[in-house]
Amino acid sequence: MCGITALFGLKQDNKSYYLELSKKIRHRGPDWNGYYYNKDDGVFIGHERLSIISPETGSQPIIDKKNNIILSVNGEIYNYKELYKHILHGKYISHTKSDCEVIIPLYEDFNVNTPKLLDGIFSFVLYDTQNSDIFVARDPIGIIPLYYGITEEGEIMFASEAKCLKEDCPFITTFPPGNYLKI
């Protein structure tokens, strides 16, 4: 199990605070942690990693500069090899050995239909830096947790555990299983 903390529409430049929010769920991913922060776009995506598949190269968030995508995933994609072979037909070369990286080329080709192609347990946050699009999804059964809230300033927050949101969001709820959000 890994941990995701993602904040969008940030009004303040407070990277140290955002890192502390991510640190609250370090127990979910004690092997490695990483983040993407762009103060001009008002975006922070933190990831606490538990290394199961590709411990050497699967660090997250995955930053794909060619496709302008930032991706943080909690879960496991069981059919990733089949997706590369039969759906993507070798047109995307994986930069990591992570099962989760397959979400990037699927999103490029199938956009909001990407979760329908995934066999696995997952919640993920994807940020398209070129178009400023945010795409969030959760597996159909809801095995992997994901919560979201909105701050009084209108910032949108997502996290693997609600405790990352409770100090900032007057309203927190579970992101519904089998759903996606694109904004």
Side-chain angles (χ1 to χ4, degrees), residues 151-181:
T151 69
E152 291 183 7
E153 293 81 27
E155 302 159 323
I156 302 170
M157 299 176 69
F158 298 92
S160 297
E161 293 185 21
K163 68 182 172 184
C164 296
L165 311 176
K166 69 179 186 173
E167 292 177 30
D168 296 294
C169 300
F171 170 78
I172 299 169
T173 191
T174 303
F175 193 88
N179 280 270
Y180 70 85
L181 172 68

Side-chain angles (χ1 to χ4, degrees), residues 52-86:
I52 296 173
I53 295 178
S54 185
E56 317 78 40
T57 64
S59 300
Q60 292 191 44
I62 297 171
I63 300 173
D64 184 325
K65 293 180 182 176
K66 180 181 176 216
N67 295 304
N68 303 300
I69 301 291
I70 312 300
L71 175 68
S72 183
V73 183
N74 179 16
E76 186 175 350
I77 309 303
Y78 305 136
N79 64 334
Y80 75 102
K81 290 179 182 177
E82 291 82 10
L83 290 168
Y84 277 123
K85 184 176 179 180
H86 299 295

Side-chain angles (χ1 to χ4, degrees), residues 11-148:
K11 308 290 189 248
Q12 297 179 25
D13 178 13
N14 198 348
K15 182 171 91 172
S16 61
Y17 178 70
Y18 311 138
L19 288 168
E20 285 301 314
L21 289 176
S22 187
K23 196 176 188 179
K24 288 182 178 190
I25 55 173
R26 178 119 338 132
H27 62 279
R28 296 182 66 85
D31 296 331
W32 191 85
N33 65 310
Y35 69 91
Y36 169 83
Y37 178 57
N38 185 317
K39 69 178 180 180
D40 295 330
D41 290 348
V43 174
F44 175 88
I45 300 172
H47 191 88
E48 302 296 331
R49 181 162 189 249
L50 178 64
S51 299
I52 296 173
I53 295 178
S54 185
E56 317 78 40
T57 64
S59 300
Q60 292 191 44
I62 297 171
I63 300 173
D64 184 325
K65 293 180 182 176
K66 180 181 176 216
N67 295 304
N68 303 300
I69 301 291
I70 312 300
L71 175 68
S72 183
V73 183
N74 179 16
E76 186 175 350
I77 309 303
Y78 305 136
N79 64 334
Y80 75 102
K81 290 179 182 177
E82 291 82 10
L83 290 168
Y84 277 123
K85 184 176 179 180
H86 299 295
I87 302 295
L88 297 169
H89 305 289
K91 69 179 179 178
Y92 180 86
I93 306 301
S94 175
H95 303 289
T96 71
K97 302 282 187 232
S98 169
D99 56 308
C100 299
E101 187 179 355
V102 73
I103 293 169
I104 294 170
L106 288 174
Y107 178 76
E108 290 292 313
D109 284 356
F110 299 98
N111 205 292
V112 298
N113 291 311
T114 296
K116 294 177 187 175
L117 299 168
L118 303 175
D119 176 17
I121 55 174
F122 59 86
S123 62
F124 68 81
V125 173
L126 181 148
Y127 177 59
D128 178 341
T129 62
Q130 184 172 348
N131 300 309
S132 298
D133 289 339
I134 302 161
F135 184 58
V136 181
R138 188 169 177 214
D139 69 80
I141 299 174
I143 300 292
I144 301 297
L146 188 64
Y147 299 88
Y148 73 96

